[in-house]
Amino acid sequence: MNTLTAGTAAPAFSLLDQDGNTVSLADFAGKKVLFYFYPKAMTPGCTVQAQGLRDTKAELDAHNVVVLGVSIDPVKRLGKFIERDNLNFTLLSDEDHAAAELFGVWGEKKFTLG
């Protein structure tokens, strides 16, 4: 698995958003992009994370930061997540986990006890 390191350029991607529109990294030239992966829409941990980003949107906007949330959920589920939680940023569908692999975040779950 390739893991990105600080200072490394993000890989190019094109994914469908919650409305079925194609979104690419190139669409955000000149902006900072907060590109985060989450396991599944509308689950407790992912909801708290998304709500936190929603609630800090004005501050992120002030710093020219665009938020893009990415999961393997289908487009239809993303729209429901946005509507249910009044999310104010774009969610992207990576059903085949190709983008997750490019960013080095797709792999087998590992649990540790200790």
Side-chain angles (χ1 to χ4, degrees), residues 22-56:
T22 300
V23 174
S24 300
L25 182 59
D27 298 338
F28 303 98
K31 293 191 173 272
K32 298 171 191 161
V33 178
L34 190 160
F35 194 75
Y36 84 98
F37 289 88
Y38 62 97
K40 189 171 183 182
M42 296 187 278
T43 57
C46 296
T47 296
V48 169
Q49 183 180 33
Q51 290 172 342
L53 289 165
R54 173 199 67 199
D55 296 346
T56 59

Side-chain angles (χ1 to χ4, degrees), residues 40-82:
K40 189 171 183 182
M42 296 187 278
T43 57
C46 296
T47 296
V48 169
Q49 183 180 33
Q51 290 172 342
L53 289 165
R54 173 199 67 199
D55 296 346
T56 59
K57 179 137 181 3
E59 184 177 348
L60 293 166
D61 287 347
H63 293 284
N64 201 30
V65 175
V66 175
V67 176
L68 301 174
V70 184
S71 73
I72 60 170
D73 292 303
V75 168
K76 186 176 180 180
R77 186 168 174 90
L78 300 179
K80 289 178 183 177
F81 190 24
I82 285 177

